[in-house]
Amino acid sequence: MNPLIFTTILMTVLLGTMIVMMSSHWLMIWIGFEMNLLAIIPILMKKYNPRTMEASTKYFLTQATASMLLMMAIIINLMHSGQWTITKVFNPTASIIMTSALAMKLGLTPFHFWVPEVTQGISLTSGLILLTWQKLAPMSILYQISPSINLNILLTMAVLSILVGGWGGLNQTQLRKIMAYSSIAHMGWMTAVLVYNPTLTMLNMLIYIMMTLTMFMLFIHSSSTTTLSLSHTWNKTPLITTLILITLLSMGGLPPLSGFMPKWMIIQELTKNSSIILPTLMAIMALLNLYFYMRLTYSTSLTMFPSTNNMKMKWQFETKRITLLPPLIVMSSLLLPLTPMLSILD
Amino acid sequence: MMTYIVFILSVIFVVSFVGFSSKPSPIYGGLVLIVSGGVGCGIIMNFGGSFLGLMVFLIYLGGMLVVFGYTTAMATEQYPEVWVSNTTVMGVFLLGLLMEVMLVLYVLKSEEVGVVFKFSGMGDWAIYDTGDSGVFSEEIMGVAALYSYGAWVVIVTGWSLFVGVLVILEVTRGD
C-alpha cells in the first residue's frame, strides 16, 4: 500500500478510538466506532488473497451489526431520558441492547464466532491491532455505563466467554486462532469484574494488552503462524524460545509472573462481594487456557518437537528488528511485585 | 387521512425497506430506495423540517442514489432478480409484509402498544403541534448550530467521508 495512504488510514483508526474514548455525546461515540471500523478494513486486507477479503467481510458485517444495535440503544436512551450525555443508561431495555452491542464488538460469547475466523485470515500484524487496539474503544464505553449494566446478562456472557475461550482453544494448532481464543477468555475475565470494580477491568486490559503485544511480537520475530513452525525457533534464536515460555506462562496466569496479578485481584474483588462459586468456576476454567499455553511451551521450549530433518534449520527472510521487545517482555513477566502500587488507583 | 399521514408514510417506509432488504437485484433495490427516500422526506416535512426533507431529495436521491444507479447499471447481469423470480426473495418479502401488516393491525386495534416504547394507539401518530418553538423554526436553527457550535462534528464527519473514499479506493484497487 502507498505509505502515505497507509499512514493516513492508520491514524484514522487511532482517531476513531480517541473520539470514542473522549466524547460526551452519544452520537459522536457512534461516529467514532464507524470511523474505526471503516479505517481498519484496508489494514485487515493488506495482502490481497481471498482469505483476507473473507476475514475483512466477516469483521465488517459483525461490527456494523453491533454499531446498529448501539445506535438503537442510543435512540431508546434518548427517548426515555431526553438527553445525549454519556452517563449510565437509565432505561433497562436500552442498557441490555447496548451491552449486547458492545459484547458483539468485543467478541464475548455468544457473539464470539467471528474472532478466530477473522484473526486467522489476516496477517500477524493486523491480528495484533485487531486483538489489542480494537478492544480499547468498546471497553471504555462499558466502563462508562458500568453502573447500569444488567448483572445477570453480563456475568452470563463473561462466564460463557471464559468457558468458550478455554474449550475452543484446546484443539488449535494455528497460533492466530490460539491468540483469538485467548482474547475471548480474557475479555470474559475483564467483563466479569466490570460491575464490581471497573478499575480492575482497566488493570486487566492493560496487562492483557502488554502480554498479547509481547506474544505477537515474538511470533512476528520468528515468522511463525503454526505450532510446528514455532517449535523450530530453538534452532535459530534460543533466547526467543525461552521468552516464549515465560510469556505464555504469564498469559496463563501463573504466579510469580505478572499475568497472575489481574486474576488474583479479580478473584479477590469477587469474593469480597460474596460470590464464591463464580470465581471458583472462573479459576477452574482458566485451567483450560493454561493447558493449551503449556502445550505450546512443551512443543516449543521444553522438547524438540518431531519434524523431518530438512525442516530443522529454520529459514526466514532477514531477522525482523522489533523495537521495544525487551521492555515488553520484562513488563509482561515481572510486574507482580508491583501489585501494592494498585492502591494508588483509588 | 391527513391526521394520520405520518402513520401511513411510516408504513410505506417500512414496506419499502422490506422490499430492498429481501435482496432483489441492486437495480430494484435502488428503485425502492427512491420510494423510501421520498416517503422519508414526507415524514420529515410533517414535523416541520422542510429544509432537511428537500436535502434528502437533492443529496441522497439526486446525488448518491444516481451514482449508485449508474454503477449498478454498469455491473448488472443479464437477468436481474426481481421479487417474484426467486422463491427465497419472494418468501422473505412476503414474510416482512406479513409482519408489517400484523403490526399495523395491532396498532389500529388496541388502545396501547407497548413493544419497546409505549404509545397509545393511533393518537400518538397524529401531529397536533410540533412543540413550542417560538418564532423560529427548530430545524433551521439546528442546521445553523451545526456550522457554529458543532464545528467539531463537521470536521469529524468530513474526515470520515474523506477516509471512506480512501478506504474504498484502497479496497477495490487490488494488487
Side-chain angles (χ1 to χ4, degrees):
Chain A
M1 227 197 282
N2 183 1
L4 182 60
I5 307 232
F6 183 65
T7 315
T8 314
I9 290 184
L10 202 60
M11 289 300 123
T12 311
V13 174
L14 264 63
L15 180 64
T17 310
M18 286 292 123
I19 290 179
V20 168
M21 298 207 292
M22 294 192 214
S23 290
S24 52
H25 194 276
W26 276 119
L27 193 62
M28 291 305 291
I29 288 189
W30 185 83
I31 293 179
F33 272 122
E34 293 298 293
M35 193 193 284
N36 196 5
L37 171 61
L38 197 61
I40 206 174
I41 295 296
I43 295 182
L44 297 186
M45 281 180 60
K46 257 198 294 196
K47 302 195 178 75
Y48 285 99
N49 49 42
R51 236 172 298 127
T52 50
M53 292 199 272
E54 184 187 333
S56 312
T57 314
K58 281 183 195 159
Y59 184 67
F60 184 78
L61 285 176
T62 50
Q63 300 283 302
T65 313
S67 290
M68 285 299 115
L69 280 176
L70 183 68
M71 181 52 111
M72 182 166 176
I74 292 173
I75 301 217
I76 297 177
N77 183 33
L78 172 70
M79 260 202 60
H80 286 270
S81 66
Q83 46 89 31
W84 291 91
T85 325
I86 312 290
T87 51
K88 54 183 244 184
V89 175
F90 288 97
N91 186 20
T93 313
S95 171
I96 293 178
I97 296 181
M98 194 173 290
T99 313
S100 317
L102 293 169
M104 277 176 84
K105 283 196 175 289
L106 279 177
L108 287 175
T109 312
F111 309 114
H112 67 278
F113 293 99
W114 60 271
V115 188
E117 298 175 10
V118 173
T119 320
Q120 179 61 27
I122 56 185
S123 63
L124 274 172
T125 323
S126 307
L128 170 65
I129 300 180
L130 185 78
L131 288 183
T132 52
W133 184 260
Q134 295 295 90
K135 311 290 180 193
L136 283 177
M139 198 51 92
S140 75
I141 302 299
L142 274 176
Y143 181 95
Q144 285 171 324
I145 64 170
S146 61
S148 60
I149 300 181
N150 186 350
L151 193 63
N152 300 320
I153 290 196
L154 196 68
L155 280 183
T156 314
M157 286 202 285
V159 167
L160 284 179
S161 299
I162 303 175
L163 190 58
V164 163
W167 226 338
L170 280 184
N171 201 19
Q172 309 296 338
T173 54
Q174 295 282 334
L175 294 178
R176 287 170 288 184
K177 276 200 178 145
I178 287 181
M179 295 310 294
Y181 281 106
S182 131
S183 150
I184 298 175
H186 280 268
M187 289 298 136
W189 276 90
M190 281 183 231
T191 46
V193 80
L194 185 67
V195 189
Y196 298 106
N197 190 354
T199 315
L200 293 180
T201 305
M202 288 300 133
L203 171 76
N204 198 349
M205 172 68 90
L206 192 66
I207 305 226
Y208 161 72
I209 288 183
M210 262 190 315
M211 294 191 296
T212 310
L213 205 59
T214 313
M215 275 322 294
F216 267 101
M217 294 295 190
L218 290 168
F219 293 156
I220 291 173
H221 181 89
S222 51
S223 297
S224 49
T225 54
T226 60
T227 311
L228 186 62
S229 168
L230 195 67
S231 64
H232 294 144
T233 51
W234 64 269
N235 215 337
K236 192 112 178 122
T237 43
L239 188 54
I240 296 285
T241 313
T242 323
L243 297 170
I244 288 178
L245 166 77
I246 297 183
T247 317
L248 273 173
L249 290 180
S250 177
M251 281 195 86
L254 286 185
L257 303 169
S258 49
F260 178 59
M261 181 179 3
K263 289 197 166 55
W264 171 25
M265 294 283 108
I266 289 178
I267 292 180
Q268 188 174 12
E269 196 64 34
L270 283 172
T271 50
K272 271 192 224 164
N273 281 288
S274 313
S275 72
I276 316 283
I277 305 182
L278 184 70
T280 314
L281 276 181
M282 282 163 61
I284 291 179
M285 292 190 290
L287 286 176
L288 292 170
N289 255 322
L290 185 62
Y291 179 74
F292 61 78
Y293 295 141
M294 275 180 52
R295 190 168 54 195
L296 263 186
T297 62
Y298 180 75
S299 68
T300 309
S301 330
L302 300 177
T303 57
M304 282 170 59
F305 202 63
S307 59
T308 53
N309 269 336
N310 61 349
M311 280 170 75
K312 291 244 193 294
M313 258 323 269
K314 188 177 170 67
W315 75 272
Q316 61 183 49
F317 300 107
E318 80 262 8
T319 314
K320 300 187 176 60
R321 227 146 265 181
I322 310 224
T323 50
L324 287 185
L325 190 55
L328 274 177
I329 294 173
V330 165
M331 283 212 293
S332 66
S333 41
L334 294 177
L335 272 186
L336 191 62
L338 290 181
T339 313
M341 271 182 64
L342 289 180
S343 53
I344 64 170
L345 286 173
D346 285 326
Chain B
M1 187 199 81
M2 267 323 266
T3 40
Y4 300 117
I5 189 67
V6 176
F7 182 70
I8 296 174
L9 287 179
S10 304
V11 171
I12 304 177
F13 195 63
V14 175
V15 166
S16 49
F17 266 59
V18 169
F20 71 72
S21 54
S22 55
K23 283 190 280 290
S25 156
I27 287 284
Y28 294 102
L31 183 66
V32 286
L33 265 181
I34 296 177
V35 172
S36 76
V39 164
C41 164
I43 297 177
I44 303 178
M45 286 218 210
N46 273 302
F47 282 98
S50 48
F51 175 67
L52 288 174
L54 288 176
M55 276 298 118
V56 167
F57 260 108
L58 255 182
I59 309 296
Y60 185 68
L61 296 184
M64 302 199 282
L65 209 60
V66 162
V67 174
F68 175 73
Y70 275 122
T71 49
T72 43
M74 282 199 289
T76 191
E77 56 219 1
Q78 197 182 10
Y79 296 106
E81 278 200 34
V82 203
W83 293 278
V84 296
S85 65
N86 190 358
T87 323
T88 318
V89 174
M90 188 165 72
V92 173
F93 182 57
L94 288 179
L95 183 68
L97 273 185
L98 180 71
M99 284 176 58
E100 176 64 14
V101 163
M102 290 202 320
L103 187 65
V104 166
L105 287 176
Y106 182 35
V107 168
L108 287 176
K109 287 295 166 53
S110 68
E111 273 305 307
E112 189 174 83
V113 177
V115 177
V116 179
F117 329 95
K118 266 194 204 320
F119 54 94
S120 50
M122 290 294 289
D124 264 358
W125 284 104
I127 303 182
Y128 294 116
D129 68 84
T130 55
D132 187 15
S133 50
V135 296
F136 48 83
S137 147
E138 269 177 356
E139 49 107 37
I140 287 286
M141 287 296 128
V143 175
L146 177 69
Y147 290 102
S148 58
Y149 302 112
W152 176 239
V153 182
V154 174
I155 294 173
V156 168
T157 44
W159 182 255
S160 307
L161 291 173
F162 174 64
V163 168
V165 172
L166 279 185
V167 162
I168 288 171
L169 286 177
E170 203 48 57
V171 165
T172 53
R173 187 170 61 135
D175 213 352

